[in-house]
Every structure is written in structure tokens, then in C-alpha cells.
Amino acid sequence: MDKLVIRGGNPLLGTIRVSGAKNAALPAMAAALLTDEPVILENIPQVRDIETTRRLLAAMGAEVELGYGRAQHRTTICARTLSSPEASYELVKQMRASSLVLGPLVARCGRARVSLPGGCAIGARPIDLHIKGLEQLGAKITQDHGYVEATADRLKGGEIVFERITVTGTEDLLMAATLADGETVLRNCAREPEVADLADLLNKMGAQIEGAGTSTIRVRGVSKLHGAKHRIIPDRIEAGTFIIAGAMTGGDLNIVGCDPSHLAALLAKLHQVGVKTAQSADAVRVMGDAPFKAADITTEEYPGFPTDMQAQYMALATQAEGVSIITENIFENRFMHVLELVRMGANIKVEGRRALVRGKASLSAAAVQASDLRASASLVLAALVADGETIIDRVYHIDRGYEHIEEKLKSVGAQIRRIGEILPKKAAAPAARP
Ligand code: EPU
């Protein structure tokens, strides 16, 4: 298992380029299941969840060609024949977003069998709203042996009001509705840029969707979708993570290839903290200029402060003067990073859904463990300013969603390296019997 070794203290200086958004790429790959023609996606990040999705689609019979580097990170998916419209437990347990194939499969093949995801480090995360929505579009749902099976001759348009806002739930039903008979109205939808990006792709494929990016989406169902070419939007969470890295290290960092309009809630909060930023159409420059002032955040659905930036913001809050109250509203157990940050010298108390961070703390390097994707990012940030050499274990979590993070950070001056598992020394061979 790989580890990251980080020696803190260097300001990050220079330019860092943002990759394509993992959370836009995953539904876009699932959308390719809706047509028998090739779908070409550019700016697909080279992260582990994409490889998991490749295996998921390939297991159904789709052809997936992942190309990186000069090929603009271009991926071509052709789901001409889908011999087995199923998502196995083996793959779903590795990546909950696998449930994104449920809607497209039942819409295209009339049948889908998808493993129910089990528990998750950050919260229960059920998919009941995906299932309920499909039922409202006329799918027959059965559940047995840990799998959900959905069948329908052809889905029928209808009205779906989400009881609570769900990002992948909105995406799953949006995809299903594109091939339904008649009009579907989705209400109380997630307004994340990743939902709008998916709708852009689907419209290029011939779907008729209006209102994506707002809370009401209208879809006029069509009988067939065709191939398309689409460029995935930049990853706003990766961009936000680097902005905080630049600020915390007292650096001067230009984060390019991002969309600052997707970062409004974060940038407004950083301004309150005292972080100086300047924006252009596709870049944010951050000039770390301590001291920082404590400021409270509450995570909310987009356009509110993203839960996916909560852990990274907490790392910054350890370096701000005063008490920051961090309230996590989306997931019930997303404070796994707290105890590790405390081991590095942070002063944080958790009371239910709130964490009280008292700063400024001088952080000291320690051996720590990553527990989930964004928690790992917060440990990297803390390590960048800690005194000494931090070793972060279980970095496979970070590899799920950050493309070559150590190379990117190294290129702007961080002292960071990846090490593989250190195997115990071979035991000495027993002495030969006389
Ligand atoms: N929920 C339900 N029932 C459902 C669906 C969701 O109760 O059927 C609840 C969840 O348990 C949660 C809340 O609704 O408490 C919101 O969950 P949502 O469905 O919006 O989350 P998601 O779609 O599973 C996506 C991102 C997450 C991100 C959340 C919230 C992808 C692939 N994943 O998850 O990203 O945290 O939205 O913004 O888009 C990450 O990238 O690290 C990550 C976890």
C-alpha cells in the first residue's frame, strides 16, 4: 500500500493545472450506456474511480478505451452491445457511484441489476431516492440477495419530487428520463455544475433537457440517443484544495484551467478568512498572507459551501486565529480526519454535526491514516505546514479522486514523495540441522 511522505514548511510557488472533474466524468461515462454509438469524452482525469468505471462498463459488454496525456485524456466508450446489464457487488463496493448505471441501463435495455452499496465511511448513503424515482417512471423494482433489479418495457415520463437533494440521484433519473416516453419533470434537483455538465452531454447526444443547473429540470423523452463528443468541466474540488494549499503555505500559486464561477462559496469564505485571491476567466491566483482569521462554515448543497471541501477547510482553520465552527449538514459521519489532525497538534472538538477548531495551532508531523478521499486531502494540507516529516498511509483513498497529486504539488515546490509498501526484512533462514 502506497504512502505519501511530506516535509512541511515550503511555500508553494508557481502554476498548477486542474484536471477534469471526477464527479462529472463518472456520470458522463454512465451516460454512454444510453446509446449504441461511440461517445468521446475529453478531460477525463486519470484517477482510480475512472478505472473502476471502465471495469464496470467493460463487464457489461461496452468497449472502453482510456487515453491519457497528449490525447487530451480522451476516453471513447462504445456500448453497442450490452450483454449483461449488471453492476456486481465487487465493483459497487469499491465505488458507490456505480449506482449511476441503474437509470441508463433500465432505460436502454429494459432491465438492470445493480448491487446495493453497503455502508460508507462518511455516512449511510442509501440509494432509496434513485429507486423511488425509477418506480415513478414506471420501472418495476425488486430487491433480493443485496441486489436491486429494475425492469420496464419503456419508462414513462412523470413528475418526480426529490424528498432531499441528491447529486447522483438527480443524474441517474435525468439519464433515465431521456429515453422515457413523454415528458418528465424533476423537482428539488441538485444544482451542482456536474449535473449541468451531464445535461450538456446528453443534449449533444440528442436528448431534450431544459433547466439543468436549476432545481427544476424538464426532459422530453426521445426514442433514441446518438454518439457525441464532450469535454468534461474542470474539477472544482481539486482546484479548491490547491487554493487552500497555496494559502496555508504562504505561497503564491496560480491555479489554472479551473472555472472560478464554480468556486464562489469557497472564495467568499476565504476572503473572510483573509486569504487574498485574484481571478480571471479560467484561473485563480492565491497569495497566502497570514495571519488568517477564524470563520464558520456550514456545508450545503451547491451553490452553498461544498461538503467535499469541508475537510480541507478544516486544515486551513487550524491555521486561523480564533474559533471556527464547522457544521457538516450533508453527511452524518464526515469528520474522520479530525482525530488525525488532532494527532498532528490541531485543537478540534466535535459535538455532533459541529466541529470547533481553535487556532492557530502549530502542527507537527506524525504518521497518520487517510480514511476517505477528502479526509486524505486535508491531511496532505496539514502536512504541508507541519514541522517535520508526515507519513500518510492508505493513500489509495486520495488516488480515487486526485490526479498525480504528488507530482503536481512537487512541481510547485512541495517536498512530497510516494513510497510503496516497506516489506519486513526477510526472516533469517533457520540454521540447517547438523
Ligand atoms: N441520500 C439519501 N437517499 C438517496 C440519495 C442520497 O438519503 O437515495 C442522502 C445521502 O445519504 C446524503 C445526502 O442525501 O446524506 C446527499 O447525498 P448525495 O446523493 O447528493 O451524494 P452522492 O450523489 O452519493 C455526490 C458526490 C460526492 C459528494 C456528494 C454531495 C459523486 C460521484 N459523488 O455523492 O462526492 O460528497 O454528492 O455533494 O458525484 C467525493 O467526491 O469525495 C464525494 C464523496
Side-chain angles (χ1 to χ4, degrees):
M1 234 184 274
D2 286 0
K3 297 179 172 51
L4 286 178
V5 181
I6 300 172
R7 177 168 289 279
N10 285 18
L12 301 188
L13 303 168
T15 297
I16 206 162
R17 180 162 287 278
V18 172
S19 300
K22 165 188 81 87
N23 288 350
L26 299 178
M29 290 175 79
L33 295 172
L34 288 162
T35 173
D36 57 7
E37 292 180 13
V39 171
I40 300 167
L41 300 170
E42 286 181 356
N43 210 24
I44 293 281
Q46 192 171 6
V47 297
R48 204 159 58 96
D49 276 6
I50 296 296
E51 170 55 22
T52 307
T53 309
R54 184 195 65 75
R55 285 192 284 136
L56 178 73
L57 302 185
M60 295 169 190
E63 290 161 36
V64 187
E65 205 182 288
L66 294 181
Y68 293 114
R70 272 182 303 150
Q72 308 231 17
H73 281 37
R74 185 180 296 135
T75 288
T76 305
I77 303 166
C78 185
R80 192 168 295 117
T81 38
L82 289 172
S83 44
S84 159
E86 293 193 4
S88 69
Y89 177 60
E90 207 41 46
L91 290 165
V92 177
K93 76 174 183 205
Q94 286 175 43
M95 190 186 68
R96 308 177 64 82
S98 305
S99 50
L100 278 168
V101 300
L102 187 58
L105 284 179
V106 68
R108 162 98 186 275
C109 309
R111 188 178 90 82
R113 189 163 181 273
V114 174
S115 168
L116 286 163
C120 172
I122 62 176
R125 306 184 73 185
I127 58 162
D128 55 314
L129 301 176
H130 302 226
I131 294 172
K132 224 179 259 179
L134 282 176
E135 273 177 335
Q136 277 162 301
L137 296 183
K140 263 191 67 196
I141 308 276
T142 52
Q143 283 185 38
D144 58 19
H145 308 296
Y147 278 75
V148 51
E149 182 150 348
T151 50
D153 284 340
R154 185 175 177 194
L155 295 172
K156 286 195 175 45
E159 176 160 349
I160 296 168
V161 183
F162 290 102
E163 279 160 38
R164 81 174 278 183
I165 298 176
T166 157
V167 177
T168 49
T170 302
E171 293 164 346
D172 205 3
L173 288 156
L174 176 59
M175 290 188 275
T178 58
L179 289 179
D181 183 17
E183 188 181 70
T184 299
V185 182
L186 303 168
R187 296 192 195 278
N188 198 26
C189 294
R191 291 180 283 165
E192 268 69 0
E194 291 76 16
V195 175
D197 194 46
L198 171 65
D200 272 355
L201 165 64
L202 292 168
N203 281 339
K204 287 178 194 165
M205 292 167 68
Q208 299 197 5
I209 302 168
E210 276 170 24
T214 74
S215 49
T216 303
I217 305 180
R218 284 173 201 279
V219 187
R220 253 171 296 136
V222 295
S223 55
K224 206 168 162 34
L225 293 177
H226 50 74
K229 185 167 158 189
H230 180 73
R231 188 171 175 81
I232 300 294
I233 54 169
D235 195 314
R236 61 195 166 97
I237 305 301
E238 188 200 21
T241 305
F242 291 143
I243 293 171
I244 290 187
M248 282 177 75
T249 60
D252 186 344
L253 204 54
N254 205 16
I255 292 110
V256 301
C258 63
D259 185 338
S261 71
H262 295 164
L263 292 160
L266 174 69
L267 292 173
K269 189 52 69 175
L270 293 181
H271 185 68
Q272 210 179 323
V273 171
V275 175
K276 292 197 179 61
T277 58
Q279 301 167 36
S280 65
D282 67 349
V284 174
R285 180 175 167 196
V286 58
M287 291 142 284
D289 200 3
F292 301 130
K293 301 182 290 283
D296 303 342
I297 59 157
T298 299
T299 63
E300 285 165 4
E301 294 88 358
Y302 190 86
F305 192 97
T307 172
D308 288 347
M309 283 302 303
Q310 178 259 107
Q312 301 90 314
Y313 182 83
M314 192 181 289
L316 173 68
T318 68
Q319 300 306 294
E321 305 286 346
V323 177
S324 307
I325 302 175
I326 296 180
T327 308
E328 174 54 58
N329 258 339
I330 307 294
F331 293 112
E332 60 275 23
N333 191 29
R334 210 174 196 181
F335 283 141
M336 305 274 282
H337 41 287
V338 168
L339 287 176
E340 299 300 281
L341 290 174
V342 167
R343 293 188 56 247
M344 295 178 73
N347 183 343
I348 308 171
K349 292 211 163 35
V350 174
E351 294 170 356
R353 283 181 174 257
R354 296 194 322 166
L356 277 63
V357 187
R358 189 177 296 276
K360 178 184 178 180
S362 39
L363 300 180
S364 65
V368 290
Q369 264 192 20
S371 53
D372 69 75
L373 173 56
R374 309 303 170 186
S376 347
S378 80
L379 300 179
V380 170
L381 293 172
L384 287 172
V385 297
D387 178 32
E389 206 169 75
T390 295
I391 300 177
I392 304 177
D393 201 354
R394 303 197 177 170
V395 294
Y396 56 85
H397 287 294
I398 209 161
D399 294 335
R400 290 188 59 177
Y402 287 88
E403 184 173 69
H404 306 313
I405 191 164
E406 73 274 20
E407 284 166 31
K408 289 193 183 191
L409 289 173
K410 202 187 285 172
S411 75
V412 290
Q415 289 196 62
I416 177 169
R417 65 180 205 280
R418 180 182 288 258
I419 54 172
E421 192 171 13
I422 303 165
L423 297 168
K425 278 199 187 129
K426 226 176 169 183
R433 279 169 191 271

